[in-house]
């Protein structure tokens, strides 16, 4: 049974940093493309960043480019999202998602099969 669990969310002031983690079990982590998504109250879930199964391809939403960095540690079955220069508009529930063996990654949520329960990020002004 596949389980995806996010952690690392919290309350931070604008300009601060957080690092989100996502561990996945029940799958061969090396074979999975991983993504981070977020959903603010009253808004649709949107893609933030993704990384291909090989780690060679990454993609970022324009809103986070230059501030967020995605990475994965296959030895630890863990995905990370380093978030710097946080803004109040980054406030949302952040979700980790996985899809098997995609060559390049993308931010269409409907492409992803497995999802975590989310971790809340709140950025105060």
């Amino acid at each position: 049974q596949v389980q995806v669990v996010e952690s690392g969310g919290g309350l931070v002031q604008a300009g601060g940093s957080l690092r989100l983690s996502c561990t996945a079990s029940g799958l061969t982590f090396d074979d999975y493309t991983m993504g981070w998504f977020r959903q603010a109250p009253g808004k649709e879930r949107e893609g933030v960043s993704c990384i291909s199964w090989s780690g060679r391809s990454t993609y970022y939403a324009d809103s986070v480019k230059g501030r967020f960095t995605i990475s994965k540690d296959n030895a630890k079955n863990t995905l990370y999202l380093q978030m710097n220069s946080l803004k109040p508009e980054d406030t949302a529930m952040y979700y980790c998602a996985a899809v098997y063996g995609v060559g390049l990654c993308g931010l269409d949520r409907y492409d992803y099969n497995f999802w975590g329960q989310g971790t809340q990020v709140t950025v105060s002004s």
Side-chain angles (χ1 to χ4, degrees):
Q1 183 178 354
V2 176
Q3 282 194 315
V4 178
V5 180
E6 305 92 338
S7 62
L11 174 63
V12 64
Q13 287 190 330
S17 298
L18 281 174
R19 188 176 80 157
L20 304 184
S21 298
C22 166
T23 57
S25 58
L27 51 76
T28 304
F29 192 74
D30 305 31
D31 293 339
Y32 279 74
T33 285
M34 304 294 294
W36 286 103
F37 294 77
R38 66 186 182 187
Q39 188 167 18
K43 294 189 177 181
E44 288 198 0
R45 192 170 299 190
E46 62 174 0
V48 174
S49 181
C50 61
I51 185 167
S52 63
W53 64 272
S54 66
R56 288 196 285 265
S57 171
T58 59
Y59 188 78
Y60 297 91
D62 287 343
S63 58
V64 306
K65 206 171 290 183
R67 299 189 297 123
F68 291 10
T69 303
I70 192 170
S71 60
K72 66 193 302 248
D73 185 335
N74 288 338
K76 296 182 178 179
N77 278 24
T78 302
L79 175 73
Y80 302 101
L81 185 69
Q82 178 66 42
M83 305 187 296
N84 298 328
S85 302
L86 282 161
K87 304 175 181 179
E89 50 263 44
D90 294 319
T91 295
M93 185 72 78
Y94 281 71
Y95 298 90
C96 174
V99 60
Y100 177 78
V102 177
L104 298 175
C105 69
L107 295 182
D108 185 341
R109 60 181 174 166
Y110 296 106
D111 289 338
Y112 291 78
N113 310 109
F114 303 108
W115 291 82
Q117 294 300 306
T119 186
Q120 178 67 39
V121 172
T122 302
V123 184
S124 63
S125 56

